Amino acid sequence: MKIERMTKDEQLSMLVRGRWWDAVREKFDVDDPRDIITVSRNDLVEYFQKNPELALKSFEAWSKDRGALPYHDIGALWREGDDYKVAWMDHGKPTNLLSFSNLDDALATFIFYQAGLSLK
Amino acid sequence: MKAQDNKQQGRIDEKRYQEFLAKFQVDLEAAMSLVNPTPANIALYARILSRMGDSGRALAALGPALDHDPASPVLRVTLGQVHYDRKDYPAALAEANAVLELDPANKEALALKHFSEGRLDPGAAKSALAQGIRGGARAEQFRAPLTKDSPKVQALVPRIRAARNGGDMRTAMSLTQKLMRAEPASEYTQEIYRIVAKDYARWQRVQATIGNINSAKAALLAGRGDEALAWANNAVQTDPAPEVMKFAEEVRGIVGDGKIRETPQKSKPSSPKDGGIPLWPILPISGLGAAAFVVAKSRKTVESEDGFDGENRPVYGRLQQFVAGAVLAGLAGAGIYLAGATVIPVAVRYLAVPSQHAIRLAQSEAGAINPRSAAASKVGAQQANAAAQEATEVVRQVVIKKGEILNRVWDSRWTKEPPGAGFSGPTGASFCRGNCMPINSGSAITQRGLNIPGVSNNAGNAGTFRATEDIVVSVRQSIGGAAEEIVVSRPDISKLRMIEQASLPPGTAK
């Protein structure tokens, strides 16, 4: 059972902004910053549903040129037709590819992928 | 249709084969987790791993046990047997002789000595070290430990010598660092460190050259001529040996003005002719998995029936039964092979000592275990390159056991740049197995292939992760690098917990 050391909204906002790993590590003096994350992927989906503009901005930030360049060992998020794709890139090839019909699900999954958090 | 054809011909695809193998490994680990870690049990476990072709894990399993009991005959003989499996017959013989000094009648050591001597040719008895690292030059040696040396030194130095003689330089260097930490002021340990570190640097260069050559071959196969040429030139820069320069010349000849004139054809390793894997041998493997499972499940029942209370002897007995099952299953696999399969029945590799003859017989056919040599003898050099490339992309699947350590490096800029910049971070998929924290970022970049197009990783940060549960992972030769790479599937990344993070100093691999 994880102890909640940040509020749910603080965690969600932090995950969406990105660049939180080292800051959390220093602030809470934890070995693995993921230890302080208590929110779930569904919480993040709801968060985006409540903040549609943030979802669009986040997609713009995170999906930049993904899928077109030979990225390696990072998450990728892109739009393909009516679907949103989330994958982990391995020398330019998408692996663990997932497809979503709505942006909120895709974004939340991508952010959890990127953070190395369980999708459950 | 193809899958159906394969099935009718008694074949399964590589993926299914790897799944069976992974299942067997999980069963083996489950069986092992139920027994006491006595020297006999650890030796047997290492022996099974080694016969499965995973001598690295076999050595890793033996290491701590030898630390605890360096003179244990069963551990020393097993260490020798692992060396034998690695075809390092001088090292195997050395271990056999060491045991025989203490116990001249030790049957296992006598057998190991006999077989090792039978494999040694006085004119060609160069160790892997002499052939692969020192280029035939006489290896610089250090003396054996004396009784006046501390127990730690007496335990570590023979293992360093064994690893170094076996060409396992990563282990040799790791043990030497351990030795230095134990006795940093000793002139003896400093001398060992100096010699091993020099060898290690040479070994790294050899590995980097191999990585460059493999990458050049891969680029050729993919039709990327310029990239192939760049890799070939890198190989020459890393090691301007005549054979490397000849390789680069050949690449230049194929590529010409940056356009590939001659595109090698890809082989089809899944076809029966070129090294596909038949279904039959998997049956014994499944049998082995089932045997492990039965051993694990029935242990308590058997013990209570026998009136034992869980002490070493009956548990060892269960493991012996496990191996007996393996022998029978392996013999079945060999029989099937001899009946007409065209490629190696992988199950033969599970055979215990009594079936050595069957193994040799199997290995002598059709290029045997190594798919590269099998392809080379059958489909010509170009297709061999293709087969080799496929083999290096995903070599095998293994189980990372709960509690095991992995290491990862990532780009120090990853939190400073905008989210979409694409720098590799701490939660990526690529790892090095064990406590393999690199000495500097240059070393990590060279070893792990981080300086190739599309990879944004300056290796400025590194982290040690511990598995919180058993995970099945893929192992491959890192693309563009020399080290073996562990690739963890995305859903399993959350099962790795970081226990240490560090900044790596800049530096080169030399």
Side-chain angles (χ1 to χ4, degrees):
Chain A
M1 186 76 180
K2 288 180 180 176
I3 302 166
E4 200 159 283
R5 300 167 84 170
M6 293 174 80
T7 67
K8 210 169 170 179
D9 274 354
E10 281 172 340
Q11 290 178 46
L12 292 167
S13 165
M14 178 185 83
L15 284 170
V16 173
R17 276 199 316 274
R19 293 175 280 174
W20 52 275
W21 185 278
D22 287 340
V24 166
R25 228 179 123 249
E26 281 170 29
K27 183 175 177 184
F28 296 101
D29 192 25
V30 287
D31 289 330
D32 192 321
R34 290 173 295 180
D35 287 352
I36 65 119
I37 305 291
T38 58
V39 294
S40 68
R41 191 194 74 100
N42 281 344
D43 291 331
L44 193 53
V45 172
E46 286 173 19
Y47 186 70
F48 281 126
Q49 283 169 349
K50 288 177 194 164
N51 299 280
E53 277 188 28
L54 179 67
L56 287 173
K57 276 185 185 171
S58 300
F59 179 75
E60 204 175 309
W62 288 111
S63 68
K64 191 177 173 187
D65 289 336
R66 292 285 162 80
L69 294 176
Y71 287 108
H72 175 62
D73 211 11
I74 55 170
L77 167 69
W78 70 96
R79 188 167 183 167
E80 204 171 290
D82 291 337
D83 289 338
Y84 296 94
K85 306 281 184 185
V86 175
W88 196 260
M89 303 305 286
D90 180 37
H91 290 283
K93 291 180 200 161
T95 66
N96 300 114
L97 181 65
L98 297 172
S99 191
F100 298 90
S101 56
N102 78 77
L103 176 60
D104 304 325
D105 259 336
L107 264 174
T109 303
F110 167 77
I111 288 171
F112 267 60
Y113 250 26
Q114 188 83 356
L117 293 165
S118 168
L119 297 182
K120 288 174 190 169
Chain B
M1 274 305 285
K2 191 181 172 187
Q4 203 172 0
D5 288 346
N6 281 342
K7 197 174 176 183
Q8 280 174 354
Q9 290 172 30
R11 295 177 188 287
I12 60 166
D13 60 31
E14 174 76 18
K15 192 181 166 200
R16 291 269 294 157
Y17 164 73
Q18 293 294 351
E19 282 170 6
F20 278 119
L21 191 58
K23 172 75 170 58
F24 168 72
Q25 287 171 334
V26 169
D27 289 341
L28 174 63
E29 298 298 336
M32 202 52 207
S33 69
L34 292 175
V35 301
N36 291 330
T38 62
N41 285 343
I42 289 168
L44 193 52
Y45 174 62
R47 189 88 187 97
I48 293 170
L49 288 175
S50 181
R51 302 307 291 162
M52 286 165 66
D54 198 346
S55 57
R57 281 179 71 202
L59 289 172
L62 287 171
L66 278 164
D67 259 351
H68 186 69
D69 188 1
S72 162
V74 66
L75 292 174
R76 295 298 293 266
V77 167
T78 304
L79 179 61
Q81 288 166 336
V82 174
H83 286 312
Y84 188 93
D85 290 342
R86 293 162 68 102
K87 297 186 170 50
D88 188 352
Y89 307 116
L93 182 60
E95 289 304 327
N97 286 336
V99 173
L100 289 171
E101 273 179 28
L102 300 171
D103 177 11
N106 187 302
K107 284 181 184 169
E108 287 77 17
L110 283 169
L112 180 63
K113 181 181 168 70
H114 173 75
F115 283 115
S116 302
E117 283 178 340
R119 287 287 187 160
L120 283 174
D121 173 341
K126 290 177 187 170
S127 68
L129 179 71
Q131 291 173 349
I133 297 166
R134 304 197 60 82
R138 183 176 165 76
E140 199 174 353
Q141 293 297 346
F142 43 86
R143 70 164 169 82
L146 304 173
T147 48
K148 66 172 186 175
D149 292 318
S150 73
K152 190 88 181 169
V153 168
Q154 289 190 49
L156 282 170
V157 174
R159 290 176 56 203
I160 294 169
R161 289 164 72 102
R164 182 170 176 255
N165 290 336
D168 184 0
M169 291 310 298
R170 193 177 287 120
T171 301
M173 192 63 213
S174 166
L175 291 170
T176 306
Q177 285 169 334
K178 204 170 171 182
L179 182 70
M180 272 301 277
R181 284 197 295 274
E183 296 201 9
S186 155
E187 283 184 15
Y188 178 46
T189 57
Q190 286 173 13
E191 173 70 356
I192 292 172
Y193 187 87
R194 184 187 64 75
I195 292 171
V196 175
K198 210 158 77 177
D199 282 347
Y200 184 67
R202 282 199 195 99
W203 175 83
Q204 281 188 313
R205 280 201 294 279
V206 169
Q207 297 304 305
T209 307
I210 292 168
N212 285 326
I213 288 172
N214 282 340
S215 299
K217 286 177 179 175
L220 271 183
L221 289 165
R224 299 192 298 268
D226 287 343
E227 193 184 319
L229 205 50
W231 283 119
N233 289 336
N234 276 356
V236 172
Q237 279 179 5
T238 321
D239 183 2
E243 57 270 33
V244 180
M245 292 173 81
K246 190 180 169 200
F247 169 78
E249 273 303 313
E250 284 172 6
V251 172
R252 282 185 206 109
I254 293 171
V255 173
D257 304 330
K259 291 179 182 174
I260 294 179
R261 280 184 258 162
E262 193 181 321
T263 304
Q265 298 300 307
K266 272 207 157 193
S267 66
K268 296 173 183 172
S270 60
S271 74
K273 190 180 172 188
D274 301 340
I277 296 163
L279 176 63
W280 294 103
I282 209 66
L283 299 175
I285 296 175
S286 306
L288 284 172
F293 181 72
V294 168
V295 168
K297 291 278 281 185
S298 64
R299 177 176 168 248
K300 281 183 189 280
T301 312
V302 172
E303 281 170 10
S304 65
E305 282 170 359
D306 292 350
F308 291 116
D309 60 358
E311 290 303 315
N312 303 336
R313 193 166 62 84
V315 174
Y316 184 41
R318 298 301 97 203
L319 272 172
Q320 283 174 321
Q321 281 187 12
F322 175 91
V323 172
V327 171
L328 290 172
L331 282 169
I336 289 160
Y337 175 83
L338 296 171
T342 53
V343 294
I344 183 145
V346 181
V348 171
R349 298 171 71 186
Y350 293 83
L351 289 171
V353 175
S355 306
Q356 273 289 351
H357 177 69
I359 295 174
R360 292 205 190 103
L361 195 54
Q363 286 177 337
S364 69
E365 301 282 337
I369 291 171
N370 187 341
R372 299 185 195 191
S373 55
S377 65
K378 288 189 165 193
V379 296
Q382 289 180 344
Q383 290 181 343
N385 286 345
Q389 173 57 20
E390 294 215 9
T392 55
E393 277 185 358
V394 175
V395 178
R396 65 189 190 276
Q397 285 188 301
V398 300
V399 178
I400 297 295
K401 212 175 163 190
K402 180 181 177 182
E404 222 178 299
I405 296 294
L406 298 175
N407 173 269
R408 169 170 173 74
V409 297
W410 64 91
D411 199 300
S412 58
R413 297 164 292 180
W414 86 285
T415 55
K416 298 187 179 81
E417 299 294 333
F423 291 111
S424 176
T427 58
S430 172
F431 293 84
C432 162
R433 190 173 190 174
N435 196 2
C436 40
M437 183 76 81
I439 51 172
N440 58 43
S441 56
S443 167
I445 287 167
T446 306
Q447 285 295 305
R448 304 186 191 187
L450 305 179
N451 57 350
I452 64 174
V455 179
S456 293
N457 190 339
N458 66 8
N461 287 340
T464 305
F465 294 79
R466 189 188 300 282
T468 58
E469 53 188 277
D470 290 357
I471 307 170
V472 177
V473 302
S474 300
V475 184
R476 69 182 178 194
Q477 172 85 32
S478 56
I479 297 168
E484 211 171 52
E485 178 185 16
I486 299 286
V487 181
V488 180
S489 175
R490 192 63 350 211
D492 288 333
I493 289 293
S494 61
K495 297 171 187 166
L496 293 171
R497 187 178 182 282
M498 189 160 82
I499 55 174
E500 183 191 8
Q501 181 173 327
S503 295
L504 289 181
T508 64
K510 291 179 184 177

